[in-house]
Amino acid sequence: MSALHDLHAATPLLTAMLLATVAGLTIPIGAYLASIERIRPRWLQTEFRHSVLAFGGGALLAAVALVLVPEGLRDLNWVLICLAFGGGGIVFLLIDWAIARCGGAGAMLMAMLLDFVPEAAAIGVGLATRLEIGLLLAFLIALQNLPESFNAYREIMAHNKPSKRGLFMAFSALVLLGPLAAYLGHVWLAASPAWAGAVMLFASGGIIYLTFEDIAPQAVLKRHWAPPLGAVLGFLLGIIGHVALMP
């Protein structure tokens, strides 16, 4: 940890890009785990998949409640708060509608990107002030990306039947969005707190819409307790990270 503090003191931009990259590595890990079908495929398709989906939803809500909304509210008045948060919900309603017209696949992938990109940008913003904010965000991003990429991979495979290798390579390439977003956040958004807050609230509105429109309904499984407890666990781990990393 002391080495990380020294790196942050010397080059906060490099630290932000490094943390965003590490957090994004759980995207291809989740996709790889989703490609393994040899172990109890019926169970994998039902209770485990629903539990992972609910875990991702809980982690998304933790990100909204613990990071995106609290940080987003700091420098905006109530009018801009309503416009940014409500605008996120409306824009992603339209995107979700367009996806549904094209076959319905991609809701979880959209949720993952909606979460990953602004939070990676927030790492760049946060590290301009405190290392702890960046560490918390990196932890939450890694926590969320694993189940989200797992389910996004399986969702796309079920609807589109692409090449497994090609899809895995595409998921691996998404890791690069992390350091790019962290760079933009550190260089541009850190100098404009209002814009940074608007981006976080916009993402929050979209995440809330996607959670209750696409993720939560898919996580329901009759007479099984694991999916709802998965959501509780996802949120709980977000709380633990918040308590452990924040001063």
Side-chain angles (χ1 to χ4, degrees):
M1 180 66 76
S2 60
L4 192 58
H5 275 281
D6 294 339
L7 179 63
H8 172 245
T11 56
L13 174 58
L14 179 60
T15 308
M17 296 177 68
L18 176 63
L19 287 177
T21 301
V22 172
L25 290 176
T26 52
I27 294 176
I29 292 174
Y32 172 75
L33 293 175
S35 70
I36 301 174
E37 300 179 357
R38 295 186 297 273
I39 303 175
R40 300 185 65 184
R42 182 179 297 276
W43 175 75
L44 184 66
Q45 285 281 49
T46 54
E47 188 165 2
F48 180 73
R49 182 179 183 277
H50 284 72
S51 301
V52 171
L53 190 65
F55 180 90
L60 278 170
L61 290 178
V64 171
L66 299 175
V67 180
L68 294 177
V69 168
E71 294 296 320
L73 295 178
R74 292 182 183 276
D75 297 286
L76 298 178
N77 59 44
W78 69 270
V79 174
L80 294 177
I81 290 170
C82 293
L83 288 174
F85 189 87
I90 293 171
V91 166
F92 280 88
L93 179 152
L94 297 175
I95 295 174
D96 191 42
W97 176 78
I99 288 175
R101 285 179 62 91
C102 296
M108 179 57 73
L109 177 63
M110 182 170 62
M112 180 178 69
L113 294 178
L114 174 67
D115 185 46
F116 180 39
V117 173
E119 283 195 357
I123 289 179
V125 175
L127 282 179
T129 55
R130 285 190 297 164
L131 176 62
E132 289 77 9
I133 294 177
L135 288 172
L136 175 60
L137 283 166
F139 171 76
L140 286 171
I141 291 170
L143 186 67
Q144 294 151 198
N145 281 343
L146 186 64
E148 288 164 14
S149 62
F150 180 98
N151 284 290
Y153 181 95
R154 295 190 66 81
E155 184 180 54
I156 293 173
M157 287 296 298
H159 284 80
N160 297 49
K161 304 295 184 183
S163 161
K164 287 187 176 182
R165 181 177 180 181
L167 185 58
F168 178 76
M169 294 301 294
F171 271 65
S172 299
L174 294 177
V175 176
L176 299 176
L177 292 176
L180 176 60
Y183 173 84
L184 295 176
H186 188 85
V187 173
W188 288 353
L189 292 181
S192 179
W195 272 108
V199 168
M200 293 183 194
L201 289 177
F202 181 87
S204 298
I207 288 170
I208 294 296
Y209 171 82
L210 289 172
T211 299
F212 288 95
E213 172 61 21
D214 290 301
I215 298 174
Q218 290 186 55
V220 175
L221 196 61
K222 292 182 179 179
R223 294 186 294 276
H224 288 276
W225 49 262
L229 280 184
V232 173
L233 178 60
F235 200 97
L236 176 60
L237 288 179
I239 293 175
I240 291 171
H242 179 74
V243 173
L245 295 174
M246 297 303 289

